[in-house]
Amino acid sequence: MALLAPSILSADFCALGRDVQRVMQAGADMIHVDVMDGHFVPNISIGVPVVESLRRCTDAFLDVHLMISQPEKYIDAFAKAGADLVNIHLEAEGDMPAMLRRIRQLGKQSALTIKPRTPAEAVFPCLELCDMVLVMSVEPGFGGQSFMPESLPKLRALRQEITRRGLACKLEIDGGITLETAPAAISAGADILVAGSAVYKAPDLARRIRDFKNL
Ligand code: DX5
Ligand code: ZN
């Protein structure tokens, strides 16, 4: 059974606390927080103050996905705000091993994310420093896009390498995850499914979460 991380990008920002509590009560495993700077991706979403507010209204594990050009400048602030996991993009600026070490030093879980055109092997040199690797199955920036099946061989390659090295690193998939696309991602090795629109736009949210959890 895969873990489910609803992305609040598709929630109602006027009622974020309520929308987080709704998914957690319905059985979600953690909350995925999409941070966008309008530079690394062509969209702007939310930042540190929102993570601070979320931390005050839920005990849920906060998986913070930083789609920002200069993560180095903000890692400490997101950790202090209450992120449980800080997820940086391999394609961003900065010294990846140093940033991953810094995240762990701050007592948080560390993760690296790769965009659709970045090969799985690009993460291999940093695998030991990652508690999780996120494979993007859409171009980051927007919710509601279609799943790219090219992500599946990347999940398989990462799973194989993680097993070969005997690591505890988890694999997450993000973008276009629905009840139809999730099963292939799970068989390819995904431990955690991020789903935004498939959860928050569902006619019956609790039932949709149950259906995801039963895959
Ligand atoms: C996209 C974000 C995703 C997004 C997923 O850049 O990283 O987390 O919210 O949305 P859906 O599930 O609608 O593709
Ligand atoms: Zn995301």
Side-chain angles (χ1 to χ4, degrees), residues 7 9 32 34 36 65 67 136 140-144 174-176 194-197:
S7 161
L9 195 59
H32 185 81
D34 286 308
M36 304 180 184
H65 177 192
M67 288 164 272
M136 288 303 301
F142 300 91
D174 180 9
V194 175
S197 39

Side-chain angles (χ1 to χ4, degrees), residues 19-33:
D19 274 6
V20 162
Q21 276 146 10
R22 275 172 80 204
V23 293
M24 291 310 293
Q25 273 159 17
D29 297 286
M30 63 183 84
I31 297 295
H32 185 81
V33 183

Side-chain angles (χ1 to χ4, degrees), residues 31-95:
I31 297 295
H32 185 81
V33 183
D34 286 308
V35 175
M36 304 180 184
D37 66 355
H39 186 260
F40 184 76
V41 288
N43 197 7
I44 299 175
S45 58
I46 53 171
V48 172
V50 174
V51 174
E52 262 165 22
S53 298
L54 284 171
R55 187 69 295 157
R56 281 197 294 273
C57 83
T58 179
D59 290 334
F61 186 94
L62 298 178
D63 161 21
V64 178
H65 177 192
L66 297 183
M67 288 164 272
I68 65 177
S69 294
Q70 300 188 308
E72 199 171 356
K73 287 188 182 168
Y74 302 96
I75 285 169
D76 286 45
F78 279 103
K80 190 157 173 252
D84 294 292
L85 177 145
V86 181
N87 200 338
I88 58 177
H89 264 266
L90 185 70
E91 304 85 358
E93 293 166 28
D95 179 337

Side-chain angles (χ1 to χ4, degrees), residues 113-126:
T113 303
I114 48 171
K115 298 210 278 186
R117 276 183 287 240
T118 304
E121 292 71 22
V123 180
F124 287 5
C126 293

